[in-house]
Amino acid sequence: MSEHSRTTSFRRTYRCMTAILGALCAVFAGAQQRPPAVPLITHNPYFSVWSMADKLTDEDTKHWTGALQPMVGLARIDGMTYRFMGGPGRAPFALAPLVMEQRSLTVTPTHTIYTFEAAGVSLAVTFFTPAFPKDLDVLSRPITYLTFTVSAQGEHEVSLLLDVDPVIAVNTPDEAVTWSRARAQGLTVLNVGSRDQKVLNRPGDDLRIDWGYFRLAVPDEAGAEFAMSNGAVRSFVATGKLPEADDMDMPRMPRTRPASNAAAHLAALLPMGNASATSVTRHVLLAYTEDYAIEYLGQKLRPYWQRNNMTVEHMLADAEAQYSALEQRGQVFDRELTADLEKAGGTAYAQIAILAYRQALAGNGLAADADGTPMLFPKENFSNGCISTVDVLYPSAPFFLFFNPALLEAQLRPVLHYAALPRWKWSFAPHDLGTYPLANGQVYGGGEVTEENQMPVEESGNMLIMAAAMSQEMGNWDFIRQYWPQFTKWAEYLRHEGMDPANQLATNDMSGHLAHNTDLSIKAIVGLAAYAQLAKGVGKPEVAEEYSRQAAQMAMQWQAMAIDGDHYKLAFDKPGTWSEKHNLVWDQILGLNLFQAKVRQTEIAFYLKHMNQYGLPFDNRADYTLLDWTIWTAALADPPQPGSPDPFAAFVAPIGRWVNEGPTRVPLADWYDTKTGNAIHFQARSVVGGVYIKVLAVKSLAAKWRERTEP
């Protein structure tokens, strides 16, 4: 074979070196994408590790909050050491200045795949989180698989080092940790956790978990060597080997001066052998386990996977045994979902929805009630840390309605149970259940004490709309019957207070109070019609007729009060103003048909004249927007006529530019400036699940995914 032929063959092997990569490469061939942050490990608000740079070697990996949680990857090729994961800033890398060239990055719904090349060797690094919304046993399992695939031009001796900093198991680097190694069936398991193990010790926003244990599990067949030492990287760089002894003097802090006194890292050396064109693959399991995940009304709840007292070693062994089957499921899932997203909304929309996929799930903690019932608790990340915020549940609802409405029920159940208690004395729905991970009662605004700074129309409308959408999709009204008094109370509130809302907060509370809010009025009107659907579902036709008629009358009144020439106003009493009428999307999805089509059409035509570089502002008061609401607003557009531009694409294109060009490198933000692209505050929040409103509105597609059986 000629040198040219050998090189061509090698390049082809590099691009898709295994069947796994080949299948995924085919889906994303030619895509030029630069995510603002790349999901690596995404399970819940605590176990969530990202790369916030163009290349995996540009910076250390981080928790979604930006706190360092470094994982280091080194490749030893013919006696020379190269870095493929981890930033250049720390001392050991002065000994290993060589960096593998990153050749590609692909993000799919369940996979993140990097490919690298150096010294005639190609390396694929794949993070796989089997986050299948209909398989709660697998979804709740706190494991990400990290797979390494090596091939080479010619023959090269290759070994890999994975080194995990113990700071991954604590909130701050000054907390002492202990470490150990153990066995599970077919696995060696390295463990690290805080010394103090203060379970569910405090609520807050910018916090990491400091109870439970991070676990690095390696299959026996990998032939790996192990070390628990803060000198593993130095030793590997110098000799290609691990330290001969583990660090045994503990507890110690992850960061100390001198660095030689710091806590042990977890290190695994994976021999890849004499690499050639035939690829060699090894994988490890990255896990985090804690005995309790959430405190709800004073009761400590276990993670859902542990509801039947499953042991950690059993869980790890099951995860290892199922690796190959789960990987195949993940490939099929990614291909099918990506194709459907592109067909429904185009390439830019598909990228946004794919980036939102794991983030929407990882913004929640999945726990089990005492009887094993799933309970899903979102955290209001980088806002105030509230748990089960109703105006976080509402924007993320399209994701859960599309894939598995039972997960939305698992989110609503804790809120409704709380609202049914005597301690919740208000005639409107609560805002939250506390501050993550302590769901012991509302803390926002007036809490349980006063109506001041509450969101009465907002949250009441949210709960009614979500309940109607969920029950329609599930075809079961038992849940509604259980909490009928609460739904009735909130409908009555909207009936009296919703048409022309008083001076109060809405979901965009960063804008402050606003009276006569037209979009909030839409929510109240749609909420009343949603309640009518609930009444019909539980066998109360007279109630359904009464509230349907009321909602229709209010919708006609709204159209007369809100019109302002070529658009509809921000507030009924403020001519010359405008806002996104995102709540109107449920008029279509629920099949209510309260508002005339010209309302949607008039608004869409107006919005298209007010686009900025990175999207449509939320209203006329500022240049910022909210990602989820803009996609909801875009979904109001009618399908394009043959030969005409697609208005939905016109909304999404500038958002796609922002995703790939925006200057703020954090997990997908939902509040950003449409002129500068700067993320303003929110990041890594589950609300980005709202972008699935577009595919939820395609009834046949939504039915396909709700009814889809995993292979």
Side-chain angles (χ1 to χ4, degrees), residues 503-682:
N503 192 36
Q504 59 185 259
L505 294 171
T507 187
N508 58 322
D509 52 347
M510 73 288 290
S511 299
H513 290 66
L514 178 66
H516 318 296
N517 186 329
T518 58
D519 192 50
L520 194 57
S521 177
I522 291 174
K523 178 171 292 184
I525 296 167
V526 173
L528 284 176
Y531 175 74
Q533 290 189 334
L534 298 180
K536 183 178 180 181
V538 300
K540 298 179 182 293
E542 297 84 2
V543 175
E545 174 61 27
E546 177 185 354
Y547 278 84
S548 292
R549 184 170 56 252
Q550 179 79 47
Q553 291 172 354
M554 292 168 69
M556 292 301 295
Q557 185 180 354
W558 185 96
Q559 291 170 82
M561 293 171 60
I563 189 67
D564 192 23
D566 63 348
H567 68 282
Y568 294 86
K569 292 174 279 191
L570 163 69
F572 291 124
D573 63 338
K574 295 185 182 299
T577 63
W578 61 271
S579 64
E580 294 185 22
K581 306 300 188 294
H582 65 282
N583 288 304
L584 193 59
V585 73
W586 292 103
D587 190 33
Q588 298 167 274
I589 291 177
L590 293 177
L592 303 174
N593 300 314
L594 296 166
F595 292 84
Q596 296 176 352
K598 71 175 183 181
V599 176
R600 292 184 294 102
Q601 295 161 355
T602 297
E603 288 292 271
I604 291 295
F606 182 84
Y607 298 146
L608 290 172
K609 300 173 185 176
H610 290 77
M611 292 286 185
N612 287 334
Q613 181 177 1
Y614 295 120
L616 176 70
F618 186 70
D619 60 42
N620 63 276
R621 293 175 292 179
D623 290 322
Y624 68 70
T625 198
L626 299 169
L627 170 64
D628 43 342
W629 297 151
T630 300
I631 299 293
W632 286 30
T633 300
L636 296 173
D638 291 327
Q641 297 296 318
S644 300
D646 183 355
F648 180 81
F651 278 87
V652 172
I655 300 174
R657 286 196 296 272
W658 167 72
V659 167
N660 293 294
E661 300 173 3
T664 310
R665 305 306 297 272
V666 298
L668 198 59
D670 54 287
W671 181 18
Y672 69 94
D673 190 289
T674 59
K675 288 185 175 179
T676 67
N678 288 315
I680 295 175
H681 194 56
F682 302 159

Side-chain angles (χ1 to χ4, degrees), residues 237-381:
V237 169
T239 68
K241 299 179 180 180
L242 294 177
E244 294 184 357
D246 290 338
D247 295 346
M248 300 179 67
D249 183 13
M250 58 181 170
R252 274 188 268 173
M253 293 182 292
R255 301 278 191 273
T256 64
R257 292 185 180 181
S260 58
N261 292 330
H265 291 210
L266 309 184
L269 189 158
L270 303 173
M272 306 302 284
N274 201 15
S276 64
T278 301
S279 61
V280 177
T281 298
R282 301 282 185 266
H283 73 271
V284 303
L285 288 71
L286 309 173
Y288 203 108
T289 63
E290 72 273 43
D291 285 338
Y292 294 99
I294 299 291
E295 183 173 298
Y296 176 58
L297 301 179
Q299 179 183 9
K300 290 182 172 60
L301 304 183
R302 291 192 180 277
Y304 185 78
W305 69 267
Q306 206 175 11
R307 67 196 181 283
N308 295 321
N309 297 314
M310 179 181 281
T311 63
V312 172
E313 55 267 30
H314 187 179
M315 183 269 293
L316 291 171
D318 281 355
E320 171 56 23
Q322 296 167 19
Y323 165 67
S324 295
L326 290 173
E327 176 58 58
Q328 292 300 317
R329 284 173 62 183
Q331 292 180 48
V332 173
F333 187 95
D334 289 351
R335 284 198 303 270
E336 290 186 7
L337 180 56
T338 299
D340 284 345
L341 292 170
E342 290 184 346
K343 183 177 179 180
T347 302
Y349 171 71
Q351 183 197 9
I352 296 164
I354 287 167
L355 287 175
Y357 182 88
R358 274 176 276 172
Q359 182 172 316
L361 289 165
N364 294 264
L366 181 55
D369 203 355
D371 62 358
T373 301
M375 300 179 79
L376 191 61
F377 296 88
K379 179 179 180 181
E380 195 169 342
N381 288 347

Side-chain angles (χ1 to χ4, degrees), residues 136-208:
L136 299 195
D137 286 319
V138 173
L139 176 65
S140 65
R141 193 183 285 163
I143 288 176
T144 288
Y145 300 95
L146 177 54
T147 301
F148 306 98
T149 302
V150 168
S151 66
Q153 180 184 6
E155 293 188 353
H156 300 272
E157 189 66 27
V158 180
S159 59
L160 305 177
L161 176 72
L162 175 65
D163 179 280
V164 183
D165 193 306
V167 77
I168 200 169
V170 289
N171 180 40
T172 56
D174 58 355
E175 296 181 57
V177 300
T178 61
W179 51 93
S180 65
R181 67 171 74 191
R183 290 285 301 168
Q185 184 177 354
L187 297 164
T188 295
V189 186
L190 306 184
N191 314 287
V192 64
S194 68
R195 173 193 62 191
D196 298 328
Q197 290 294 304
K198 295 180 179 179
V199 177
L200 296 167
N201 64 89
R202 64 186 179 277
D205 188 13
D206 189 0
L207 295 176
R208 273 78 32 205

Side-chain angles (χ1 to χ4, degrees), residues 373-552:
T373 301
M375 300 179 79
L376 191 61
F377 296 88
K379 179 179 180 181
E380 195 169 342
N381 288 347
F382 252 42
S383 173
N384 57 14
C386 277
I387 187 169
S388 294
T389 302
V390 174
D391 57 293
V392 167
L393 296 175
Y394 178 64
S396 68
F399 179 92
F400 299 102
L401 290 167
F402 183 74
F403 289 108
N404 184 6
L407 285 175
L408 180 56
E409 180 179 314
Q411 292 181 318
L412 297 183
R413 185 178 298 279
V415 177
L416 281 157
H417 178 70
Y418 169 68
L421 296 175
R423 62 189 284 188
W424 184 254
K425 58 188 177 183
W426 311 116
S427 58
F428 48 81
H431 169 275
D432 64 85
L433 295 180
T435 305
Y436 200 94
L438 307 183
N440 290 325
Q442 180 167 310
V443 295
Y444 185 84
E448 297 178 354
V449 178
T450 173
E451 293 189 41
E452 184 181 3
N453 292 328
Q454 302 258 21
M455 298 184 183
V457 171
E458 173 73 36
E459 310 302 22
S460 299
N462 290 343
M463 291 296 292
L464 290 166
I465 292 168
M466 287 189 287
M470 179 190 73
S471 300
Q472 277 191 13
E473 305 301 351
M474 296 179 73
N476 188 320
W477 304 90
D478 291 342
F479 183 80
I480 304 304
R481 291 186 180 93
Q482 184 178 355
Y483 296 104
W484 184 249
Q486 283 65 52
F487 293 123
T488 299
K489 183 194 303 184
W490 300 335
E492 279 299 298
Y493 182 87
L494 294 181
R495 188 178 193 177
H496 295 288
E497 305 292 340
M499 179 63 234
D500 189 6
N503 192 36
Q504 59 185 259
L505 294 171
T507 187
N508 58 322
D509 52 347
M510 73 288 290
S511 299
H513 290 66
L514 178 66
H516 318 296
N517 186 329
T518 58
D519 192 50
L520 194 57
S521 177
I522 291 174
K523 178 171 292 184
I525 296 167
V526 173
L528 284 176
Y531 175 74
Q533 290 189 334
L534 298 180
K536 183 178 180 181
V538 300
K540 298 179 182 293
E542 297 84 2
V543 175
E545 174 61 27
E546 177 185 354
Y547 278 84
S548 292
R549 184 170 56 252
Q550 179 79 47

